[in-house]
Amino acid sequence: MAQHPQAEGLCLRFPDPLGQHAQVTHETAAQMLLRATQLAQHTPFTWGYIDKPAEGQLFLIFQMPQLPFPIDGLVFQDREQRYSFPLPGGRELEVSEIKFGFIPGVDNTAFRVRRRYRLAKGGHPQLVLIHYSRGQASPIMPSLNQPVRSYPLRSVNEPAVYVMGEKQGQKVYPGAGGPGPGRVAPTLDRQPVGDMSMGYGMPGMGMPGNPQAMLAHQNSNMEALEKRALRDRSASMSARQAAARVDDDDSADESETISTRTLALTRYRRNHELMNEVFMYAAFGNKNAISPPPPYSIFKKDELEEQVAKLTSEIEALRAKAAARQQATRATANELADVSMEGTSMSDAIPT
């Protein structure tokens, strides 16, 4: 029985090599993903493997929401960490980092680091940029030093697929034997629509029978995906023309490049990931943790009462001084008034 292609690590890759990069900054990753959104409109992605990547190697894949990250031939001894990085223009870059990886039977220490970048906001969230680099080394656990896939890898003869744009879902057949680049097989109109949960012609997804039946099933999936994409784009354009304003700023940017169904699935997964991060600590955290002391525990009651009594006596003394000062002021004013009145009566008695 053939191995499931998902277990083999088969994925849709950008066909051109992206070169070697010792480090990839957040800004560089965001620029490359924005550029990839434009290139994917007219560049078909090819089926292939990521196997035992070298340090500095860079890959761009199209990851479907219903499938996990493909196997890359590495074993990691750490848990993947995910965090977001805000970018100008309302965009958000999501980074998934995992350390202490190694190639079973080849590496002596676990020093490999894998980082995955995708634009959670302001881009296409299914385009994933993968970078492999060197990090801090750690001893390899003997129980994990085993290959994660079977070798040799099965050869892949599936045609390339457009993952975005006007030709989304269409295949590109090599040579003259197939229907031709960007054209759908002529038997599509006569084939029933089958299971579309594994779109983009995922090879060998549980289709029994001969290769012709498998090809017909894949072609029918492509036709259904193309019709759905056109229908979603038409509905999205009609909704944008009828609406007076856009409630969500990032929704307009995302709906220009992906369908409504894909956007809904992406947001659904993102919300569940956020909920998982929130409730993960409540479920697996330290439930018997000691509560922190109250903030007022640094003060002593006796010292506070002594300070209050001292301040109260000082206030009473100040009030007594103020009252005495006011009384003296009033007495002085009365004396001056009496002198003024006596002087006025004597002047009136002098004859003229």
Side-chain angles (χ1 to χ4, degrees):
M1 181 180 294
Q3 191 177 6
H4 198 283
Q6 179 178 337
E8 294 178 352
L10 207 58
C11 62
L12 281 169
R13 293 174 42 183
F14 186 74
D16 299 334
L18 302 180
Q20 298 285 333
H21 302 267
Q23 296 293 332
V24 176
T25 62
H26 294 160
E27 292 77 9
T28 302
Q31 293 176 1
M32 296 182 73
L33 287 171
L34 290 174
R35 177 59 178 165
T37 304
Q38 301 175 0
L39 293 176
Q41 303 283 338
H42 50 78
T43 303
F45 280 44
T46 58
W47 290 103
Y49 300 97
I50 300 177
D51 187 58
K52 302 177 182 178
E55 298 176 31
Q57 200 163 0
L58 202 62
F59 297 92
L60 176 66
I61 69 171
F62 182 86
Q63 185 174 359
M64 288 176 280
Q66 65 268 27
L67 297 181
F69 184 76
I71 298 174
D72 53 8
L74 301 182
V75 177
F76 291 91
Q77 301 181 155
D78 193 15
R79 184 176 180 180
E80 192 171 47
Q81 303 293 329
R82 181 177 301 167
Y83 58 92
S84 298
F85 184 78
L87 298 172
R91 295 185 174 90
E92 181 178 319
L93 181 68
E94 182 183 277
V95 184
S96 301
E97 181 184 59
I98 186 169
K99 302 178 181 179
F100 306 118
F102 63 93
I103 300 176
V106 177
D107 296 334
N108 296 323
T109 57
F111 62 90
R112 299 179 184 270
V113 179
R114 182 184 71 200
R115 294 183 180 89
R116 295 186 290 151
Y117 305 89
R118 74 181 187 98
L119 288 173
K121 293 182 180 179
H124 201 297
Q126 293 177 239
L127 289 177
V128 182
L129 188 68
I130 310 166
H131 180 242
Y132 295 89
S133 61
R134 173 182 287 269
Q136 184 179 359
S138 175
I140 296 177
M141 299 181 183
S143 59
L144 298 179
N145 197 4
Q146 299 178 1
V148 293
R149 61 175 19 148
S150 301
Y151 293 95
L153 297 177
R154 180 175 60 88
S155 60
V156 181
N157 297 321
E158 295 296 324
V161 182
Y162 286 98
V163 297
M164 294 173 56
E166 297 295 330
K167 299 181 180 179
Q168 181 179 5
Q170 296 186 13
K171 297 180 180 180
V172 179
Y173 292 86
R183 295 177 55 191
V184 187
T187 58
L188 284 177
D189 296 336
R190 297 187 294 272
Q191 294 292 338
V193 177
D195 182 16
M196 295 178 295
S197 60
M198 300 298 180
Y200 299 102
M202 172 65 81
M205 296 303 288
M207 273 296 298
N210 54 34
Q212 295 180 355
M214 295 176 61
L215 180 60
H217 179 75
Q218 294 168 6
N219 291 337
S220 64
N221 288 348
M222 293 305 101
E223 180 193 26
L225 285 171
E226 182 183 5
K227 290 182 179 180
R228 184 190 307 172
L230 292 175
R231 185 169 57 253
D232 292 341
R233 282 196 295 268
S234 300
S236 178
M237 290 295 295
S238 300
R240 285 200 298 269
Q241 293 175 359
R245 61 185 179 86
V246 179
D247 295 331
D248 192 357
D249 294 335
D250 66 310
S251 298
D253 295 337
E254 294 177 353
S255 61
E256 291 178 358
T257 56
I258 58 179
S259 65
T260 305
R261 179 177 179 274
T262 304
L263 181 60
L265 287 173
T266 303
R267 287 182 174 174
Y268 179 82
R269 291 188 60 201
R270 184 170 59 192
N271 291 339
H272 275 264
E273 290 172 355
L274 293 175
M275 292 173 61
N276 179 60
E277 293 180 1
V278 171
F279 293 107
M280 178 179 61
Y281 297 99
F284 303 102
N286 187 4
K287 300 180 180 179
N288 299 322
I290 301 175
S291 58
Y296 53 81
S297 62
I298 61 175
F299 302 103
K300 296 182 179 179
K301 184 178 180 180
D302 298 337
E303 294 181 356
L304 291 176
E305 291 178 351
E306 183 180 353
Q307 292 180 2
V308 169
K310 182 180 178 180
L311 291 175
T312 303
S313 62
E314 292 178 357
I315 291 172
E316 293 297 334
L318 291 175
R319 286 178 178 175
K321 289 181 180 180
R325 190 181 299 109
Q326 291 178 0
Q327 187 176 2
T329 302
R330 285 196 296 268
T332 304
N334 291 335
E335 291 178 0
L336 292 175
D338 293 342
V339 171
S340 176
M341 292 177 64
E342 292 175 359
T344 302
S345 59
M346 289 177 65
S347 64
D348 291 343
I350 298 176
T352 56

